[in-house]
């Protein structure tokens, strides 16, 4: 088959590939501890499930408007006001199957050949993949361990050119768990305003934060006109399999994204959208408990990793990932990923799955029980001894 040339530019998310390899080993009887998956291991809160069941029983089984049902878009407008202090309109909100399509469709609508997009590296691999796919030029912005995986403002400014069309930021961050400070966000806002650059602010981990409050780019004064706010239900509410996300963006862009929805998904699942209203408006106790449980696991895994010779790990402030430095083990991150899966039966991701600045690191997701994390760490300790023998 002769594929379109653009397919050679499309990247992937290695997490899904490692999961497939891990499952193949499990099928052969090998025990695997899964620390590669970017999704909460909790069940979706009960009241949200009940709302979905009720919606199905009420007959919410038909197409919905492509941009989303109005009551959900209104609830999102309210949530953005409550959480970010910014007034938006229903016409600026688009609901999509997961937050990924907001990323994909806004880049598809805006970026063309020759346009440069600055994006965090290491970062969510889909940024680089989609920029390449549409013919844009990805410009990696290094995130630096010594700065708690924030970027250097001078380095950031040096990457901006006359061709920069968009800047992607992500806080709390995948894969490092780092968060950007208000000052970092202000630097981006200053540059974007001066140079008329669009900003895509990916805030899907905004609720999973262990110190202080989430600083949203969207809350900065005067940025709304050039910002796409991307958020969703997957991570906060343990709803990855429901496929529910949303974006808030200037109305003229929202119209283009709606058109892309019409041409692709038609709409997001209707009964899921009804349940999503309950996610936004219902009780938060279960979601708060998720974060407290993640905090315990974070402290456990950070201490455990730092106890393994050759590994050092800073304490992340958000999300449910750690990004330990493994440079002292003198093996490439990719080889180490394979060694740990095949020898230790522990599935983790090479830092390079998140871009070239991820070399020398691994990503662990601690969306797993303390018991399993403990077993995983013990196995890694043993497997690394074999490595040096
Ligand atoms: N943005 C980041 C940084 C992510 O890590 C993910 C998922 O892993 C997404 C966006 C997309 O999430 P979803 O499409 O499940 O809403």
């Amino acid at each position: 088959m002769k594929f379109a040339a653009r397919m050679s530019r499309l990247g992937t998310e290695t997490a899904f590939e490692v999961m497939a390899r891990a499952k193949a080993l499990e099928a052969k009887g090998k025990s695997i501890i899964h620390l590669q998956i970017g999704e909460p291991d909790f069940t979706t809160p009960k009241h949200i499930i009940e709302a979905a069941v009720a919606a199905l029983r009420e007959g919410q089984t038909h197409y919905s408007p492509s941009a989303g049902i109005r009551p959900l878009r209104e609830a999102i407008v309210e949530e953005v006001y409550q959480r970010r202090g910014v007034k938006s309109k229903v016409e600026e909100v688009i609901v999509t199957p997961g937050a990924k399509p907001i990323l994909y469709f806004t880049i598809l609508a805006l970026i063309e050949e020759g346009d440069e997009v600055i994006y965090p590296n290491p970062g969510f691999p889909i940024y680089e993949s989609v920029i390449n796919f549409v013919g844009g030029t990805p410009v990696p912005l290094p995130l630096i361990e010594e700065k708690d995986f924030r970027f250097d403002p001078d380095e950031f400014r040096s990457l901006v050119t006359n061709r920069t069309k968009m800047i992607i930021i992500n806080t709390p961050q995948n894969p490092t768990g780092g968060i950007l400070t208000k000052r970092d966000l202000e630097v981006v806002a200053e540059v974007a305003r001066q140079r008329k650059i669009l900003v895509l602010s990916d805030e899907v981990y905004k609720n999973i934060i262990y110190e202080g409050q989430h600083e949203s780019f969207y809350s900065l004064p005067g940025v709304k006109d050039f910002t796409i706010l991307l958020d969703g239900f997957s991570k906060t509410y343990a709803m990855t399999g429901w496929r529910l996300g949303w974006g808030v963006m200037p109305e003229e862009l929202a119209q283009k994204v709606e058109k892309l929805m019409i041409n692709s998904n038609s709409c997001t699942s209707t009964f899921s959208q009804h349940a999503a209203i309950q996610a936004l408006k219902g009780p938060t106790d279960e979601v708060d408990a998720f974060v407290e449980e993640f905090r315990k696991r974070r402290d456990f895994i950070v201490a455990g990793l730092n106890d393994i010779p050759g590994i050092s790990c800073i304490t992340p402030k958000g999300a449910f990932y750690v990004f330990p430095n493994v440079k002292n083990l003198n093996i490439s991150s990719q080889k180490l990923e394979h060694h740990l899966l095949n020898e230790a039966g522990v599935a983790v991701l090479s830092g390079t799955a998140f871009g070239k600045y991820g070399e020398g690191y691994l990503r662990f997701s601690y969306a797993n029980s303390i018991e399993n994390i403990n077993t995983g760490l013990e196995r890694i300790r043993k497997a690394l001894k074999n490595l040096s023998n």
Side-chain angles (χ1 to χ4, degrees):
M1 222 177 268
K2 188 176 177 328
F3 291 105
R6 72 179 80 90
M7 286 311 290
S8 65
R9 301 196 300 266
L10 195 61
T12 187
E13 246 189 282
T14 322
F16 289 104
E17 290 174 10
V18 173
M19 179 145 78
R21 265 188 273 137
K23 293 270 177 220
L25 288 172
E26 277 174 331
K28 286 188 196 153
K30 192 169 168 76
S31 144
I32 304 287
I33 302 285
H34 291 271
L35 299 176
Q36 86 284 14
I37 304 173
E39 65 169 343
D41 52 323
F42 310 118
T43 305
T44 306
K46 261 190 252 57
H47 65 281
I48 304 174
I49 294 179
E50 292 306 332
V53 172
L56 278 171
R57 293 223 162 93
E58 282 159 16
Q60 299 295 349
T61 53
H62 301 274
Y63 288 130
S64 83
S66 294
I69 56 172
R70 195 170 178 94
L72 176 56
R73 292 164 86 200
E74 282 169 356
I76 291 167
V77 166
E78 181 58 24
E79 140 104 6
V80 171
Y81 183 60
Q82 292 301 331
R83 291 293 307 265
R84 278 103 168 170
V86 182
K87 285 211 160 104
S88 50
K89 294 186 295 184
V90 162
E91 292 74 20
E92 294 165 331
V93 177
I94 304 277
V95 178
T96 46
K100 256 183 190 169
I102 295 291
L103 184 67
Y104 184 60
F105 290 154
T106 54
I107 290 177
L108 195 56
L110 290 161
I111 303 303
E112 53 195 349
E113 212 153 309
D115 291 337
E116 294 178 0
V117 181
I118 298 177
Y119 70 102
N121 189 317
F124 184 44
I126 300 306
Y127 303 145
E128 189 179 315
S129 168
V130 177
I131 300 161
N132 273 323
F133 189 58
V134 303
T137 305
V139 178
L141 172 63
L143 299 181
I144 305 159
E145 182 185 3
E146 290 70 27
K147 290 177 73 76
D148 285 341
F149 293 114
R150 292 160 47 229
F151 59 84
D152 177 77
D154 291 332
E155 187 166 24
F156 164 65
R157 288 191 189 93
S158 76
L159 296 175
V160 177
T161 74
N162 290 338
R163 291 183 302 276
T164 310
K165 177 105 185 247
M166 184 188 277
I167 302 163
I168 301 178
I169 53 172
N170 174 214
T171 183
Q173 218 250 347
N174 177 11
T176 67
I179 59 175
L180 298 177
T181 63
K182 188 164 185 201
R183 184 60 207 137
D184 297 330
L185 301 177
E186 283 168 352
V187 169
V188 174
E190 277 160 27
V191 170
R193 189 176 294 114
Q194 256 171 23
R195 309 280 298 250
K196 300 204 181 327
I197 300 170
L198 294 155
V199 176
L200 192 155
S201 184
D202 181 343
E203 304 185 15
V204 296
Y205 295 99
K206 71 164 187 305
N207 275 64
I208 306 169
I209 196 147
Y210 306 107
E211 283 162 43
Q213 280 194 335
H214 169 62
E215 293 287 355
S216 172
F217 184 82
Y218 209 61
S219 301
L220 297 182
V223 302
K224 186 172 178 274
D225 291 347
F226 56 83
T227 301
I228 300 146
L229 171 64
L230 177 151
D231 203 338
F233 295 86
S234 288
K235 316 289 176 174
T236 299
Y237 303 98
M239 291 175 74
T240 46
W242 293 62
R243 309 312 299 132
L244 272 168
W246 51 270
V248 187
M249 62 201 81
E251 191 174 339
E252 57 180 334
L253 175 59
Q255 287 167 0
K256 302 289 182 215
V257 173
E258 181 177 1
K259 217 168 177 182
L260 285 163
M261 275 294 287
I262 293 170
N263 277 272
S264 53
N265 301 298
S266 293
C267 65
T268 304
S269 145
T270 306
F271 70 91
S272 303
Q273 292 187 64
H274 283 273
I277 298 170
Q278 285 314 307
L280 293 176
K281 293 193 169 169
T284 61
D285 46 334
E286 280 188 72
V287 170
D288 296 342
F290 294 165
V291 178
E292 279 321 299
E293 179 59 29
F294 276 143
R295 181 198 300 276
K296 282 189 212 139
R297 297 172 182 184
R298 173 196 68 157
D299 293 345
F300 185 82
I301 199 168
V302 169
L305 285 167
N306 280 319
D307 209 34
I308 298 175
I311 299 185
S312 66
C313 183
I314 63 172
T315 304
K317 298 191 173 81
F320 41 80
Y321 308 113
V322 282
F323 206 61
N325 182 324
V326 293
K327 290 176 187 169
N328 283 339
L329 294 173
N330 296 319
I331 173 173
S332 77
S333 297
Q334 178 95 61
K335 279 194 180 142
L336 191 56
E337 173 196 293
H338 284 265
H339 182 72
L340 294 182
L341 180 62
N342 296 322
E343 302 303 317
V346 181
V348 298
L349 298 182
S350 162
T352 50
F354 302 91
K356 65 177 177 179
Y357 294 106
E359 183 53 59
Y361 299 88
L362 292 177
R363 190 197 78 170
F364 288 62
S365 157
Y366 48 89
N368 205 329
S369 66
I370 294 227
E371 195 188 348
N372 282 340
I373 293 170
N374 192 31
T375 308
L377 291 173
E378 280 310 312
R379 289 185 184 184
I380 290 173
R381 186 190 287 278
K382 270 198 210 131
L384 292 183
K385 276 197 193 129
N386 297 343
L387 192 65
S388 54
N389 288 338

